[in-house]
Amino acid sequence: MNSLVFLILIILSSPLQGERDLVIVRQKVLVSGTTSLGKFNCDYTKVGSFDTLKVNSTKAGHSLSFQIPIRDFSCGNFILNSDFRSTLKADVYPFAEVKVNNLRQKSGKIYCHLFLDLAGKSLEFPDFILEKHKDGLAGNLCLDFVALGLSPPKKLGGLIKVEDQLDLQLLLGM
């Protein structure tokens, strides 16, 4: 019994719950949605920059911030790329910005404060969940065009429509 209590105390006081560093070497953003013809995926990946995020830090100022040129999103072909850029008003808002800070671990999950600036709209998610994956941390967010101040695109007089919901996945690779 004493050894069981001792083991529980060791587990609870392990450095997993204390402050620790995560070295981020890759940022990926995947935007997916559905049209009346099927699904689409547009992604952006930035590799090679190194940033360190602190988990459970009591000090302020530890954040990861990166800008995404809207023109660098790849949707699979030039028509979808053009439609995506047009929908996000890339000529007026050429960059999206993602900022992640205040990482904290609770109950096996990592929570953060996520700021997203997209198409001229600033959105804030104070308890965004990042889950551990083999490649790093990943979180999912459902947005709609109204929240972004945009209207879903239509083509061919409304025969081809994009559903109002967009799924955004953020991957921070370690």
Side-chain angles (χ1 to χ4, degrees), residues 47-117:
V47 179
S49 66
F50 294 89
D51 280 302
T52 302
L53 286 172
K54 295 199 177 288
V55 179
N56 298 328
S57 177
T58 56
K59 301 172 189 166
H62 296 287
S63 66
L64 169 68
S65 181
F66 58 99
Q67 282 193 334
I68 304 169
I70 299 299
R71 296 208 172 276
D72 287 354
F73 270 95
S74 175
C75 302
N77 65 54
F78 72 95
I79 295 172
L80 288 174
N81 290 345
S82 177
D83 287 347
F84 185 77
R85 293 173 188 150
S86 175
T87 299
L88 293 182
K89 301 178 183 178
D91 52 338
V92 178
Y93 306 106
F95 294 95
E97 185 168 1
V98 176
K99 183 177 180 182
V100 176
N101 66 15
N102 191 25
L103 273 79
R104 57 217 181 273
Q105 186 169 359
K106 289 190 247 178
S107 305
K109 294 183 181 178
I110 295 181
Y111 294 82
C112 71
H113 200 127
L114 175 70
F115 298 90
L116 179 63
D117 192 344

Side-chain angles (χ1 to χ4, degrees), residues 7-77:
L7 182 61
I8 291 172
L9 287 174
I10 288 175
I11 291 172
L12 291 177
S13 64
S14 73
L16 291 175
Q17 296 300 322
E19 184 176 318
R20 62 188 171 115
D21 293 342
L22 299 176
V23 178
I24 307 299
V25 297
R26 180 171 52 105
Q27 299 101 25
K28 182 175 183 172
V29 177
L30 176 68
V31 178
S32 57
T34 306
T35 71
S36 52
L37 294 178
K39 295 185 180 243
F40 68 91
N41 293 309
C42 300
D43 67 13
Y44 166 82
T45 303
K46 181 179 180 185
V47 179
S49 66
F50 294 89
D51 280 302
T52 302
L53 286 172
K54 295 199 177 288
V55 179
N56 298 328
S57 177
T58 56
K59 301 172 189 166
H62 296 287
S63 66
L64 169 68
S65 181
F66 58 99
Q67 282 193 334
I68 304 169
I70 299 299
R71 296 208 172 276
D72 287 354
F73 270 95
S74 175
C75 302
N77 65 54

